Amino acid sequence: MTRVVVTVMPKAGVLDPQGQTVEGALGRLGFGGVSDVRVGKRIELEVGGDDPLAAVHEMCERLLVNALIEDYDVRAES
Amino acid sequence: MSVAVLRFPGSLDHESAQRAVESVGGIATSVWHADAELPAGVGAVVVPGGFSYGDHLRPGAVASRAPIMGAVRRHVDRGGLVLGICNGFQVLCEAGLLPGALRPNATLTFVCRQASVEVADDGSPWTAPLGVGARLSIPIKNNQGAWFGHPEIDRVALRYVGDDRLGSVTAAAGVLDESGRVLGLMPHPEEACDPLLGSTDGQSLFGVAAAA
């Protein structure tokens, strides 16, 4: 079994109100110089089979990610 | 012909949608998500609002992969009509039957209020009886109603009038597929079919469904 981590982020140009809200709150807390905050999600899976990364890529295409609004990255955790 | 109202785990507005169909003299049939086929004699399918699968992963994402959605796709290919309301709109976008996707509202809040929407495209069986420029008073109630798409190529059927923007690209409240037979909208026309609720502007869409 391989521990696979998928990182999903809103695509550039897609409204990310969570990121905007976090950015505003950081500013109010006195953290200067912070910009372009984006909030995404991380999905962890235990995957078997011969090619777990290829399997997870297919899962991303078919369910885990909406390619219209999200980008993703798949990697095996060591 | 009857109107099939789909039901997923977490659907909320299927009964309201059935009542709306009946309010215009139509016959509504409830269809379970795990069914692989629609009943015979269905002219239109309504994908109702709610929170299918708890909105987990993305709203509509899990429901859009349900067995019944294959039958809905075949229904569209045969020339059938489909109306997706709120979560139903999200399901149809996730299924690829409508363009675009729904994102969290710009306000990051649940928005619940009466909205005014205007018909922007009447080249569809759904909007032809209304005509471009017709205004409807229909409530909205959602968390993730900000439509993201490409309005230069996607067909926007309805737009919010005034300050009802949730963060939708070009203030889109509803969109059509290329054929015009599939309509999805965030406002809830089924909650605007009874004078007691302050508006009967939603009945037009259910009239189209019932006559399909």
Side-chain angles (χ1 to χ4, degrees):
Chain A
M1 298 292 278
T2 306
R3 191 77 178 159
V4 180
V5 177
V6 181
T7 308
V8 184
M9 293 300 294
K11 272 195 170 159
V14 174
L15 179 73
D16 179 18
Q18 281 192 89
Q20 291 172 356
T21 301
V22 170
E23 189 172 315
L26 289 173
R28 288 191 295 279
L29 284 172
F31 292 101
V34 179
S35 62
D36 196 26
V37 176
R38 312 283 285 170
V39 176
K41 60 189 159 192
R42 171 186 167 111
I43 303 169
E44 298 184 3
L45 312 88
E46 289 282 334
V47 187
D50 295 335
D51 195 344
L53 288 183
V56 172
H57 271 288
E58 192 183 345
M59 292 175 206
C60 288
E61 300 294 328
R62 292 185 58 190
L63 176 67
L64 300 179
V65 176
N66 183 334
L68 189 70
I69 50 171
E70 295 168 327
D71 289 323
Y72 72 94
D73 173 66
V74 174
R75 61 188 168 79
E77 194 156 73
S78 49
Chain B
M1 302 286 264
S2 70
V3 178
V5 178
L6 306 191
R7 187 173 179 187
F8 300 92
S11 291
L12 293 178
D13 302 318
H14 47 287
E15 289 180 12
S16 302
Q18 288 177 235
R19 272 197 297 276
V21 170
E22 288 157 6
S23 81
V24 295
I27 300 161
T29 309
S30 180
V31 176
W32 185 236
H33 70 109
D35 291 353
E37 295 296 339
L38 292 165
V42 164
V45 173
V46 174
V47 191
F51 295 90
S52 58
Y53 293 94
D55 269 0
H56 293 310
L57 194 61
R58 299 177 305 278
V62 180
S64 71
R65 277 74 172 173
I68 196 62
M69 293 309 295
V72 172
R73 208 175 294 276
R74 292 189 292 278
H75 170 77
V76 174
D77 291 342
R78 285 194 303 269
L81 301 186
V82 179
L83 175 66
I85 302 165
C86 197
N87 187 227
F89 181 14
Q90 296 164 335
V91 169
L92 293 173
C93 285
E94 281 283 346
L97 287 167
L98 283 174
L102 282 308
R103 297 275 302 143
N105 294 338
T107 55
L108 280 181
T109 57
F110 190 90
V111 176
C112 182
R113 59 178 161 178
Q114 199 73 14
S116 179
V117 297
E118 191 172 273
V119 175
D121 181 338
D122 62 5
S124 153
W126 293 109
T127 51
L130 292 162
V132 166
R135 288 195 177 185
L136 307 173
S137 176
I138 304 181
I140 51 174
K141 51 185 180 99
N142 64 66
N143 260 321
Q144 302 206 26
W147 180 77
F148 175 83
H150 301 286
E152 64 282 6
I153 47 171
D154 300 335
R155 292 180 68 178
V156 174
L158 301 162
R159 287 200 167 89
Y160 296 107
V161 179
D163 64 350
D164 282 316
R165 294 188 182 202
L166 306 172
S168 281
V169 173
T170 70
V175 301
L176 294 161
D177 73 336
E178 271 180 44
S179 76
R181 296 195 301 274
V182 183
L183 169 67
L185 73 169
M186 286 314 291
H188 285 261
E190 81 282 12
E191 308 293 1
C193 286
D194 187 320
L196 271 178
L197 297 176
S199 169
T200 54
D201 290 353
Q203 282 189 319
S204 172
L205 294 176
F206 289 98
V208 172

